[in-house]
Amino acid sequence: MDATLLGMGDEFQGRVYSFSVQWKDHFLVKGSAFAKMGIDPLLTANMDMSFVLGYTDGPDSDFIWGFTASADFKILSFLNANGEIMVSNTGFYVGVEVNAGFDVWVISLSASFEAQVWWIYGEQFGAYVEIDVNATLFKVASVGANLKGALIVDSGFLIYAEASAYVKVLFVFNGRVSIWAAIRNGKISGGKGSNSEYTSMIDDARRNAQGIKDEMDKLAAQLDEISGAIEILKMTDEELDQCRHKH
């Protein structure tokens, strides 16, 4: 099934590349689709989506549902972005990354942005953001700054922020400063550098959030092994690859 948006022709294309239904023994529906957009030289984008709904092992098993989507964008020649979203009966996860950089004569600039939001059913809600900016002059002098922030709510709560900056001049000067602040269950604290206890907690929480994606991948693998589903539409890998790269 193909789609074209508002008569844009090849500038926007969408296609459902798999859709199957199973009702023998138990009910199960799953499908996948992708879309792409190209407006040279302004924007190129690719998007993939998939969903599942039903019972994996008979009507007495747990009812499961899930939706995943991922996308990557390129704007002009200096900005790249990608994101993903996963929603299921175990929680949700949303992640976004943006990177930009360009050189102008003797100046080189780069910047990155990362953000994540997640909720694990009955366990935890969290959010994380990080911004990084760097600049170099004549390849001998550079400056940069980094900002991190996180929120974790489980049996208690943690709000954490960390900022750092540096200045470096080749063979002359190299300096860095960093500070942190936190609110943990109503108690405020802060200091220089970073807090290893809190950063470890945040890293663990982010890994747990990735577990939602791992569960979705595991579920998808299990569903592929289920026999008896009627494939209403199914594209081969070769056909899918041709569609994605078709101009």
Side-chain angles (χ1 to χ4, degrees), residues 108-110 132-137 140-145 165-169 175:
S108 176
L109 298 174
S110 66
D132 193 74
V133 180
N134 297 277
T136 302
L137 178 64
V140 296
S142 58
V143 296
Y166 74 90
V167 177
K168 182 178 180 180
V169 180

Side-chain angles (χ1 to χ4, degrees), residues 33-51:
F34 82 92
K36 67 176 183 176
M37 178 182 291
I39 307 176
D40 292 331
L42 178 62
L43 169 69
T44 58
N46 293 282
M47 293 157 277
D48 284 272
M49 296 152 279
S50 63
F51 74 92

Side-chain angles (χ1 to χ4, degrees), residues 82-184:
N82 62 79
E84 57 184 346
I85 177 171
M86 286 151 282
V87 185
S88 72
N89 48 338
T90 62
F92 72 82
Y93 172 88
V94 180
V96 177
E97 291 185 13
V98 181
N99 295 280
F102 58 89
D103 297 328
V104 180
W105 195 36
V106 297
I107 301 176
S108 176
L109 298 174
S110 66
S112 64
F113 170 83
E114 178 183 2
Q116 298 169 322
V117 180
W118 65 89
W119 173 64
I120 303 174
Y121 179 75
E123 295 183 21
Q124 186 183 85
F125 173 82
Y128 176 85
V129 63
E130 181 173 355
I131 301 172
D132 193 74
V133 180
N134 297 277
T136 302
L137 178 64
F138 290 108
K139 296 184 178 181
V140 296
S142 58
V143 296
N146 178 274
L147 176 64
K148 301 177 183 178
L151 167 67
I152 299 176
V153 181
D154 41 31
S155 55
F157 74 90
L158 170 66
I159 301 174
Y160 181 84
E162 181 181 316
S164 64
Y166 74 90
V167 177
K168 182 178 180 180
V169 180
L170 192 63
F171 305 125
V172 178
F173 179 78
N174 188 353
R176 176 182 292 270
V177 61
S178 59
I179 57 174
W180 66 273
I183 303 176
R184 176 64 171 168

